[in-house]
Amino acid sequence: MQTIRVKIEGYDHRVVDQAVQSILDTALRTGAKVSGPIPLPTQIKKYSVIRGPHIDKRSFEQFEKRVHKRLVEIIEPTSNTIDSMMHLQIPSGVGLEIK
């Protein structure tokens, strides 16, 4: 039994969900079984930056960067499924990792 794991990452959760939906539609249309999407923990990176170098030394600005992740497993893919996945149009700002 062969499975393909697709890990989707992006900064905007709506764009990530659109990419997941297009992957699911493609896999189901070609006759493969799908498990997921499984939401993985959101990675949050926080940064503190000094507002000004001279007078405002004690004043900081906080920024954060969130990376939203999803996991989709395609179980028993056909050759048509693999070919369709290679030609899939994914929105910009979304990263895919296929294993």
Side-chain angles (χ1 to χ4, degrees):
M1 187 165 96
Q2 183 184 12
T3 61
I4 297 175
R5 284 192 175 178
V6 182
K7 188 174 179 183
I8 301 107
E9 296 181 348
Y11 296 125
D12 188 4
H13 66 92
R14 287 168 278 172
V15 178
V16 170
D17 290 336
Q18 283 178 353
V20 166
Q21 192 61 43
S22 66
I23 290 170
L24 289 177
D25 292 341
T26 303
L28 292 175
R29 183 172 20 93
T30 56
K33 296 178 186 175
V34 176
S35 172
I38 302 167
L40 299 175
T42 302
Q43 183 180 9
I44 302 173
K45 293 182 182 178
K46 295 185 177 184
Y47 302 97
S48 293
V49 180
I50 296 176
R51 287 183 193 253
H54 303 296
I55 296 173
D56 299 325
K57 278 262 188 195
R58 296 186 202 129
S59 171
F60 286 87
E61 280 187 280
Q62 282 84 26
F63 300 99
E64 70 178 23
K65 182 168 66 169
R66 293 176 177 251
V67 180
H68 301 275
K69 299 177 186 176
R70 305 284 186 274
L71 180 69
V72 176
E73 285 190 347
I74 302 172
I75 303 165
E76 299 175 10
T78 62
S79 60
N80 193 11
T81 305
I82 296 169
D83 189 45
S84 297
M85 292 293 287
M86 292 301 161
H87 299 295
L88 193 61
Q89 295 294 323
I90 299 295
S92 62
V94 175
L96 286 180
E97 182 179 325
I98 299 174
K99 289 186 179 181

